[in-house]
Amino acid sequence: MADKGDLGWRVMAGAAAFAGGFVAKKAITLAWKKSTGKEPPTNPESPEVALTEAIGWAVVMGVGMELARLLATRAAARQWAKGTGELPSHLKADV
């Protein structure tokens, strides 16, 4: 069974990733609108959406969301280390 520290970290990391993803989706959507002048595709899987647009949206959204999750989790890990004095065990670098 997970200890309280592990559970606390999972909750904190999950909340950070959720918040980062929410902000990233809004930012990516706004950037898409500004750069293309169009709304992003709501259903890129549809054959009615141009393949280039669907692929572009998938790439931008995939990279953007993963980058946001990574940065949010790293920021949460820094805060966790400040509060507990050490990183969660699975984030410690093997040196």
Side-chain angles (χ1 to χ4, degrees):
M1 182 166 184
D3 64 16
K4 289 183 182 181
D6 187 43
L7 181 59
W9 164 248
R10 287 176 187 247
V11 169
M12 184 175 179
F18 177 79
F22 180 80
V23 171
K25 185 172 183 183
K26 295 288 185 187
I28 293 165
T29 300
L30 181 64
W32 182 272
K33 288 179 191 177
K34 287 211 174 256
S35 65
T36 66
K38 300 181 346 184
E39 291 288 325
T42 54
N43 188 6
E45 295 89 6
S46 171
E48 295 175 348
V49 175
L51 183 59
T52 55
E53 184 177 13
I55 291 171
W57 178 247
V59 168
V60 167
M61 195 60 139
V63 169
M65 293 297 282
E66 184 58 23
L67 181 60
R69 187 203 61 80
L70 173 74
L71 295 175
T73 303
R74 288 176 60 101
R78 279 193 302 275
Q79 290 302 313
W80 182 266
K82 278 185 186 178
T84 64
E86 63 181 11
L87 287 170
S89 60
H90 68 283
L91 293 180
K92 292 179 182 174
D94 294 329
V95 180

